[in-house]
Amino acid sequence: MKFVPKSKNYIEKVRESFERQEFMKLICASLVDVQPGYCEIHVPYQESLTQQHGFFHAGVISTIADNTAGYAGFSLMEENSSVLTVEFKINLIAPGDGEVLIGKSNVIKHGRTLTICKSDIFIRKNGKEKLCAVSQLTLIELKNSSDKKYNS
């Protein structure tokens, strides 16, 4: 689907918000691509992000599903708005066994208040990408947010 962002500075708006997320710094995540209604985030493998078998932890996989969706939706929102996740469901379909975790999210439906997104999470190992999780998320747009606490 083709979406038109409500802010002409949507890329900067998303990048600035991403840079304020301390957890993204902690896990060494990088914002790779932002387009209207799309976001991609990568996380390099680190032992500190794994579970007992050495795979990416489901919490990290879920975080990337959430953040890619949040920024895919945020790219379409008004300049002075912020975004929060209302709910999400994730299916872990293969172990996060690889060198890089890759989150790709697309907006499915952008409404006046709620936005629905789909996130696909891949693992790259030996140069090949494999789908390891799928998620559907609902976001809410908080319009004209002047409260720093909620300002994305």
Side-chain angles (χ1 to χ4, degrees), residues 2-136:
K2 291 273 185 180
F3 291 104
V4 178
K6 294 177 184 168
S7 168
K8 56 185 161 187
N9 300 316
Y10 73 94
I11 294 174
E12 290 135 30
K13 181 175 87 160
V14 168
R15 286 195 189 285
E16 287 172 5
S17 177
F18 183 85
E19 291 300 320
R20 289 195 310 270
Q21 285 203 25
E22 293 299 320
F23 191 65
M24 291 296 98
K25 293 173 190 168
L26 181 68
I27 65 172
C28 299
S30 58
L31 184 63
V32 173
D33 192 12
V34 177
Q35 297 173 31
Y38 176 81
C39 179
E40 183 172 332
I41 295 173
H42 292 192
V43 178
Y45 179 87
Q46 300 164 69
E47 210 171 293
S48 63
L49 302 179
T50 64
Q51 42 82 293
Q52 69 276 17
H53 300 294
F55 306 143
F56 276 95
H57 193 281
V60 175
I61 294 169
S62 298
T63 295
I64 298 307
D66 181 35
N67 264 20
T68 55
Y71 286 127
F74 192 48
S75 72
L76 302 177
M77 296 178 183
E78 294 177 13
E79 185 70 34
N80 294 322
S81 67
S82 63
V83 62
L84 290 173
T85 301
V86 174
E87 65 83 33
F88 74 92
K89 181 203 186 315
I90 190 162
N91 291 93
L92 302 163
I93 57 178
D97 179 20
E99 298 103 24
V100 180
L101 192 66
I102 301 167
K104 299 178 183 184
S105 186
N106 289 288
V107 170
I108 298 169
K109 168 86 168 87
H110 177 61
R112 287 180 295 169
T113 305
L114 297 178
T115 298
I116 311 301
C117 297
K118 179 182 185 254
S119 291
D120 292 324
I121 309 301
F122 299 88
I123 194 73
R124 184 182 302 144
K125 186 172 184 176
N126 300 323
K128 293 183 181 180
E129 284 184 19
K130 178 180 179 180
L131 188 65
C132 72
V134 293
S135 184
Q136 182 171 305

